C-alpha cells in the first residue's frame, strides 16, 4: 500500500507543485504530474530517512512531504531542462 499511496499523493502533489511553482515547463501538465509522482516518492523516502517523519498512510504530514518533494523535483527539472 505504501507505493500506491505515494503515487496517489504524487498525482495531487504534482498539480499543487505546479500551482506553487508556476511557469513554463518543457513538458506541460503531464510531465509535471509525473515529476510529482517521482517527487512524492523521493520526498517520502527522504522524509522517512533523514527527517524521521512518519509517512505511513493518508495523513497531513505525509501529504506535505509529498508536496515538498514534488516542488523540489520540479525545481530541479526546470534547472536541468533550461537551455
Amino acid at each position: 500500500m505504501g507505493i500506491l499511496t505515494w503515487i496517489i499523493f504524487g498525482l495531487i502533489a504534482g498539480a499543487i507543485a505546479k500551482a506553487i511553482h508556476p511557469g513554463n515547463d518543457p513538458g506541460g501538465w503531464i510531465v509535471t504530474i509525473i515529476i510529482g509522482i517521482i517527487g512524492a516518492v523521493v520526498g517520502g523516502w527522504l522524509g522517512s530517512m533523514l527527517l524521521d517523519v512518519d509517512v505511513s498512510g493518508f495523513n497531513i504530514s505525509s501529504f506535505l512531504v509529498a508536496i515538498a518533494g514534488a516542488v523540489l523535483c520540479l525545481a530541479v527539472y526546470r534547472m536541468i531542462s533550461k537551455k
Side-chain angles (χ1 to χ4, degrees), residues 35 44 59 63 67 74-75:
I35 289 172
N59 55 41
F63 191 61
I67 292 171
L74 183 59

Side-chain angles (χ1 to χ4, degrees), residues 25-78:
D25 291 326
W29 276 94
I30 301 297
V31 172
T32 302
I33 290 174
I34 291 170
I35 289 172
I37 294 170
I38 293 168
V41 172
V42 169
W45 180 75
L46 287 175
S48 65
M49 299 298 283
L50 300 176
L51 303 174
D52 199 31
V53 174
D54 183 26
V55 290
S56 58
F58 285 80
N59 55 41
I60 193 71
S61 65
S62 297
F63 191 61
L64 293 175
V65 167
I67 292 171
V71 169
L72 177 69
C73 284
L74 183 59
V76 168
Y77 174 71
R78 285 185 180 172

